[in-house]
Amino acid sequence: MKNIITTLIISLFFATNAKAQNYICRDGETSFFSETPLENIAAINKTVNSVLNITTNEIAVKMVMTEFKFKNHLMEEHFNENYMESPKFPNGIFKGKINEAIDWKKDGSFDVTAKGTLIMHGVSKERLLKGKVTIKGEEITLLCDFNIPLSDHKIDVPKLVIAKIADNVAVKNKFIFTAMKK
Amino acid sequence: MKNIYILFLLLLSVTVKAQDDPMDVLEKNTKPTTTFATATFKSTRVINGQSVETMAKRHLDFRIAHRFGALNTGAYNYFGLDQATMRMSFEYGLTNDLMVGIGRSTTQKTFDYFGKYKLLKQSSGAHIMPVSVTLFASIAAVSLSTNPENSFSSPSFANNIERLSYCTQILIARKITDGFSLQISPTYLHRNKVFRINSSDASEVLEPNDIFAIGFGGRYKLNKRTSINAEYFYRLPSFNDQYTLNSNYHNSLSVGVDIETGGHVFQLHFTNSLGMIEKQFIAENTESWTNGGIHWGFNLSRTFSFDKKKKKDNW
């Protein structure tokens, strides 16, 4: 009896250890697109960091706003100086939890939703985001598209340029997670 | 039995670890980034003088600058607006750190060519750099036809080399707060030929060909798109007794406002300099604020992006 318990506990211990709980992505891509008849604005950030905990389904995303690259340097300067105020609010953050129970060890594709807090321009907003998880071996890919209304995060657009910037900015995310080494 | 307890404890510790906040895990496992100060100044000029900013890669800056006549010429001259001197230039970013420019001023029909290179960039975070340092070098060529009278407005030249002057600057700036930036610009200027304004002046003391000056510039942001700028250039006294600074020339002082609207930057200012290149406003500035030689002027800058490669990217 004693031996059985010991082996059971030991095997449990190894089981938890064999599969790392934290998955990390250091080069996630977040892009956004604002479309108006006058002007399209697009930018991409390829250095987004994210951690996914597969035991608790918790997810954390953090990006540096100045890492968004634009085709037009002036747009980039205005984005940081006038709209996002990057020196004051350097990061964009999402902290949340994936609602669906997923067997992270099995290959496949799943639609998921995540509830959490999106912090941008110093303003926190509760959001329910929809995404898609694809598991292939040791790699987990997370795709997530959503819209951000600029007014939600107190991003002021002056009347002079209001026709050039969409009220709703489309955001696309792509994170490829790999298991974190202990 | 004791062993089992130890194992239990071990197991517990593993479970506890698994419940770490993923944000903490993220912070611990990612490298801190370096953040570079952006837009220390709104434009590549503080007012007359160069700022530490350069044009971004494949971006063209088309500049038109005007300086009008002196305010104290009165209503008859529409407070100076009847007369205008101007400079037009094309300035282009070869890389994100190196830019070149070509311009022409009406003053003495001068062509100027310059290059500007960002040596150090102010940054915080993983890599800390307290100041931005930009190197500037220019050549100016007077194309005014030669005149045996040899006055400032119609000089005489023995050859084309005499028409040239050179200027180098080390521009050192710091964005102290989000809205406040300061710049100091040690300047060395060499003119191949110097002129006397008063040819009747009999004294044998000559004006130096080399001039050392220190420029001070600053900008204070009133709101996101408007700032107040000020600039002063102090000419150091000549080190050689044989030479003395021409007392007809004055240090340059300018005060103005920068207004930014999309791709344009409007710089509106009052200055005692009519010239818009270093040789003219540092070395040969004929007017001063005390004798009423105040001029209203503006710089208009329009930026065009030629970055085709990035435009093709799929977003």
Side-chain angles (χ1 to χ4, degrees), chain A residues 2 5-6 9-10 12-13 16 21-22 24 26 31 33 42-44 49-51 53 55-56 58-62 64 66-67 69-74 77-78 80-83 85 87-88 93-95 156 158 160 172 180 182, chain B residues 1 3-4 7-8 10-11 14 17-23 25-27 29-31 33-36 38-39 41-42 53-56 59 96 175 178 219 221 224-225 260-265 303 305 307 310-311 313-315:
Chain A
K2 200 175 127 186
I5 293 170
T6 318
I9 287 166
I10 288 172
L12 251 173
F13 175 61
T16 21
Q21 279 106 4
N22 281 319
I24 193 160
R26 289 189 175 91
S31 62
F33 191 66
I44 190 162
N49 293 315
S50 181
V51 166
N53 185 327
T55 30
T56 60
E58 280 177 310
I59 184 163
V61 181
K62 190 177 179 186
V64 177
T66 50
E67 287 293 319
K69 300 298 168 203
F70 293 67
K71 67 183 176 186
N72 184 323
H73 177 76
L74 266 183
E77 193 174 302
H78 295 160
N80 288 312
E81 289 283 310
N82 300 342
Y83 298 103
E85 300 180 80
K88 227 191 277 178
I93 288 167
F94 179 76
K95 280 185 284 196
D156 295 330
L160 211 68
K172 283 184 178 181
M180 228 172 91
K182 287 268 168 183
Chain B
M1 202 62 202
N3 286 340
I4 294 171
L7 276 171
F8 251 119
L10 263 170
L11 182 63
V14 173
K17 212 177 171 194
Q19 272 154 6
D20 264 357
D21 181 20
M23 192 51 87
V25 178
L26 192 152
E27 300 280 0
N29 289 285
T30 50
K31 281 177 238 143
T33 48
T34 304
T35 313
F36 292 100
T38 55
F41 289 92
K42 275 286 170 215
E53 300 296 334
T54 63
M55 291 309 293
H59 283 57
N96 280 328
K175 192 176 186 176
D178 196 24
R219 91 93 202 250
K221 260 168 114 173
K224 283 176 190 169
R225 288 166 188 86
E260 190 190 28
T261 60
H264 294 86
V265 180
T303 304
S305 170
D307 212 337
K310 277 191 191 166
K311 273 179 187 164
D313 272 1
N314 257 334
W315 303 100

Side-chain angles (χ1 to χ4, degrees), chain A residues 51-123:
Chain A
V51 166
L52 172 71
N53 185 327
I54 61 164
T55 30
T56 60
N57 269 7
E58 280 177 310
I59 184 163
V61 181
K62 190 177 179 186
M63 65 188 77
V64 177
M65 298 318 284
T66 50
E67 287 293 319
F68 275 99
K69 300 298 168 203
F70 293 67
K71 67 183 176 186
N72 184 323
H73 177 76
L74 266 183
M75 285 181 185
E76 192 172 315
E77 193 174 302
H78 295 160
F79 172 79
N80 288 312
E81 289 283 310
N82 300 342
Y83 298 103
M84 301 311 300
E85 300 180 80
S86 303
K88 227 191 277 178
F89 310 112
N91 298 308
I93 288 167
F94 179 76
K95 280 185 284 196
K97 197 171 174 180
I98 293 171
N99 296 323
E100 288 75 9
I102 290 171
D103 185 357
W104 297 99
K105 289 170 197 166
K106 220 172 80 186
D107 284 8
S109 246
F110 313 96
D111 286 324
V112 292
T113 55
K115 203 180 167 192
T117 319
L118 180 70
I119 308 170
M120 231 174 65
H121 192 230
V123 181

Side-chain angles (χ1 to χ4, degrees), chain B residues 29-315:
Chain B
N29 289 285
T30 50
K31 281 177 238 143
T33 48
T34 304
T35 313
F36 292 100
T38 55
T40 306
F41 289 92
K42 275 286 170 215
S43 143
T44 54
R45 301 299 193 292
V46 178
I47 289 176
N48 283 313
Q50 301 281 344
S51 76
V52 285
E53 300 296 334
T54 63
M55 291 309 293
K57 189 179 181 181
R58 291 205 191 93
H59 283 57
L60 176 75
D61 186 14
F62 174 51
R63 299 182 74 91
I64 301 173
H66 277 68
R67 301 292 180 270
F68 295 99
L71 286 180
N72 63 356
T73 54
Y76 178 68
N77 269 335
Y78 208 60
F79 301 98
L81 291 185
D82 283 353
Q83 311 154 330
T85 56
M86 69 170 287
R87 176 177 180 270
M88 217 164 80
S89 65
F90 291 98
E91 306 179 0
Y92 186 73
L94 293 175
T95 73
N96 280 328
D97 298 332
L98 178 68
M99 73 176 282
V100 291
I102 175 167
R104 190 185 182 284
S105 307
T106 49
T107 310
Q108 292 190 319
K109 300 186 188 297
T110 309
F111 288 89
D112 66 276
Y113 316 89
F114 72 86
K116 221 165 130 179
Y117 178 70
K118 267 186 187 166
L119 188 68
L120 302 174
K121 284 173 259 185
Q122 185 185 337
S123 64
S124 56
H127 181 250
I128 294 170
M129 176 60 62
V131 290
S132 298
V133 177
T134 301
L135 305 178
F136 168 80
S138 74
I139 300 179
V142 173
S143 75
L144 205 65
S145 60
T146 194
N147 181 317
E149 290 288 315
N150 193 11
S151 71
F152 176 71
S153 53
S154 52
S156 79
F157 298 104
N159 55 49
N160 280 341
I161 301 296
E162 285 192 348
R163 294 174 177 273
L164 300 178
S165 63
Y166 316 92
C167 178
T168 54
Q169 289 183 308
I170 301 168
L171 313 162
I172 307 159
R174 177 167 167 84
K175 192 176 186 176
I176 294 164
T177 68
D178 196 24
F180 185 55
S181 310
L182 273 183
Q183 181 177 304
I184 179 161
S185 349
T187 305
Y188 166 65
L189 212 140
H190 177 85
R191 291 167 294 165
N192 282 350
K193 180 157 188 177
V194 289
F195 304 106
R196 290 227 154 261
I197 287 187
N198 302 323
S199 44
S200 59
D201 194 346
S203 81
E204 274 307 296
V205 187
L206 296 165
E207 199 191 342
N209 291 77
D210 295 311
I211 284 187
F212 294 91
I214 301 177
F216 304 92
R219 91 93 202 250
Y220 180 74
K221 260 168 114 173
L222 295 176
N223 58 44
K224 283 176 190 169
R225 288 166 188 86
T226 320
S227 72
I228 289 183
N229 293 20
E231 185 181 56
Y232 181 68
F233 277 91
Y234 175 73
R235 293 169 304 151
L236 299 172
S238 182
F239 301 117
N240 190 330
D241 288 343
Q242 259 194 300
Y243 300 99
T244 182
L245 289 178
N246 191 328
S247 59
N248 289 310
Y249 295 140
H250 303 279
N251 291 333
S252 169
L253 173 68
S254 319
V255 182
V257 183
D258 276 15
I259 302 165
E260 190 190 28
T261 60
H264 294 86
V265 180
F266 298 95
Q267 297 184 288
L268 317 172
H269 35 254
F270 290 107
T271 171
N272 61 337
S273 309
L274 273 176
M276 283 157 271
I277 59 171
E278 286 66 25
K279 174 213 177 207
Q280 294 164 1
F281 67 78
I282 297 173
E284 294 166 2
N285 178 31
T286 53
E287 284 169 280
S288 84
W289 284 68
T290 47
N291 66 21
I294 305 165
H295 303 266
W296 149 250
F298 67 80
N299 301 342
L300 200 163
S301 152
R302 166 78 212 183
T303 304
F304 302 93
S305 170
F306 291 97
D307 212 337
K308 286 192 187 110
K309 203 186 98 218
K310 277 191 191 166
K311 273 179 187 164
K312 276 186 206 155
D313 272 1
N314 257 334
W315 303 100

